[in-house]
Amino acid sequence: CQNQQMSNSSSITQFLLLAFADTRELQLLHFWLFLGISLAALLGNGLIITAITWDHHLHTPMYYFLFNLSLLDLGSISTTLPKAMANSLWDTKEISYTGCAAQVFLLTFFLSAESALLTIMSYDRYMAICRPLHYGTLLGSRACVHMAAAAWASGFLNALLHTANTFPLPLCQGNALGQFFCEIPQILKLSCSQPYLREVGFLILSFVLGFGCFVFMMVSYVQIVRAVLRIPSEQGWHKAFATCLPHLAVLTVFVSTTMFACLKPPSISSPALDLVVSFLYLVVPPAANPLIY
């Protein structure tokens, strides 16, 4: 009866998520795998947050933005993995309608804010390498707080916009989602009305803005590389690259997994591949970022 056709979203009290495995042994294996990844992400990001909070030598713009990045990573991985772990442990696929809406809002919020923050961190590295004489002036403590607040606020507004446009839609294609978490495109597949085109438009707009952030980051790093190549001493090269490589590695992991999830051809799409790709862009960056830094 849970999969019966429903006339509108008000008659849906829960959604069914896609399971990682059907056999009990594999479900338990996934639970322990998710638990290990969650603990590693919690420990790594927690250590970064603690170190930056208590060590006054790390109260610089670069580490302030890294502090915010760790908070966002903890938020994003805590939004999806606990429910996936619970479903694997208790052999269930259910998530409540309210829980699904909360998951969509929080995940959109954290991922959008992280995209904005990575863009700001690119600007920080650009100023440190290419405009060192103006760095202290343009990136003072107040400016850093304002930029971080803008990243969080943009994520909040983007999440509010998408959630408010998605969940009032009438749904008549059942309640089974083809993902292990609540994802807007999967919910739109259940819609039976034309208003969903408006949310598709918002998704396209978000993608364009995200691509704009990506272009800004790439331009920043082109300028950084050009500036580094003009440094006469080898020691200066090493210092510049040591400053930029961790952020560039984090940026590569985040952008590559996200873009592959968004741009993979429909011809190669399958439930198993979608699960793997989603796992990569939702779970790998928050767990890998502390190791990189």
Side-chain angles (χ1 to χ4, degrees), residues 260 263-271 273-274:
F260 183 74
L263 301 177
K264 67 180 186 299
S267 59
I268 67 169
S269 182
S270 68
L273 179 62
D274 291 344

Side-chain angles (χ1 to χ4, degrees), residues 60-98:
T60 62
M62 181 177 73
Y63 288 105
Y64 175 73
F65 294 134
L66 178 58
F67 175 90
N68 281 269
L69 180 66
S70 292
L71 289 177
L72 291 171
D73 282 338
L74 283 178
S76 64
I77 202 169
S78 300
T79 301
T80 54
L81 273 198
K83 183 59 180 174
M85 289 165 54
N87 285 359
S88 295
L89 182 62
W90 303 113
D91 190 19
T92 181
K93 301 179 181 180
E94 299 171 358
I95 184 172
S96 67
Y97 186 88
T98 305

Side-chain angles (χ1 to χ4, degrees), residues 52-291:
I52 294 174
T53 300
W54 292 104
D55 190 341
H56 293 287
H57 295 96
L58 300 180
H59 291 182
T60 62
M62 181 177 73
Y63 288 105
Y64 175 73
F65 294 134
L66 178 58
F67 175 90
N68 281 269
L69 180 66
S70 292
L71 289 177
L72 291 171
D73 282 338
L74 283 178
S76 64
I77 202 169
S78 300
T79 301
T80 54
L81 273 198
K83 183 59 180 174
M85 289 165 54
N87 285 359
S88 295
L89 182 62
W90 303 113
D91 190 19
T92 181
K93 301 179 181 180
E94 299 171 358
I95 184 172
S96 67
Y97 186 88
T98 305
C100 188
Q103 199 174 72
V104 165
F105 175 82
L106 290 173
L107 192 58
T108 307
F109 168 47
F110 289 124
L111 291 180
S112 300
E114 183 160 343
S115 177
L117 187 66
L118 287 172
T119 306
I120 292 171
M121 292 174 77
S122 297
Y123 174 73
D124 169 66
R125 295 300 83 209
Y126 166 78
M127 291 300 299
I129 302 297
C130 302
R131 299 286 187 272
L133 297 180
H134 303 281
Y135 185 73
T137 304
L138 296 178
L139 282 164
S141 57
R142 180 175 295 183
C144 290
V145 170
H146 289 167
M147 286 190 286
W152 287 82
S154 65
F156 178 84
L157 292 176
N158 192 42
L160 189 65
L161 178 68
H162 285 296
T163 308
N165 273 283
T166 299
F167 281 87
L169 294 175
L171 308 177
C172 62
Q173 304 295 324
N175 66 339
L177 302 176
Q179 265 298 356
F180 74 95
F181 63 99
C182 286
E183 185 182 48
I184 292 176
Q186 294 294 331
I187 297 172
L188 294 182
K189 290 180 181 180
L190 306 180
S191 177
C192 54
S193 68
Q194 289 302 314
Y196 84 91
L197 294 175
R198 181 175 59 184
E199 174 56 24
V200 172
F202 283 129
L203 287 174
I204 294 173
L205 177 61
S206 294
F207 178 79
V208 171
L209 292 175
F211 185 74
C213 291
F214 171 73
V215 171
F216 180 88
M217 290 183 251
M218 292 301 100
V219 171
S220 297
Y221 268 98
V222 168
Q223 296 298 320
I224 288 172
V225 170
R226 291 176 61 185
V228 169
L229 292 177
R230 291 196 295 265
I231 298 176
S233 68
E234 186 176 341
Q235 183 180 3
W237 279 34
H238 289 311
K239 184 177 180 180
F241 279 120
T243 303
C244 296
L245 282 180
H247 175 256
L248 187 58
V250 167
L251 186 62
T252 301
V253 171
F254 180 81
V255 171
S256 61
T257 53
T258 304
M259 290 190 70
F260 183 74
C262 295
L263 301 177
K264 67 180 186 299
S267 59
I268 67 169
S269 182
S270 68
L273 179 62
D274 291 344
L275 278 178
V276 172
V277 171
S278 300
F279 181 84
L280 287 176
Y281 86 84
L282 287 177
V283 177
V284 171
N289 289 355
L291 296 176

Side-chain angles (χ1 to χ4, degrees), residues 32-45 77 81 85:
W32 289 111
L33 175 64
F34 295 158
L35 179 62
I37 293 174
S38 298
L39 292 177
L42 178 63
L43 177 62
N45 287 291
I77 202 169
L81 273 198
M85 289 165 54

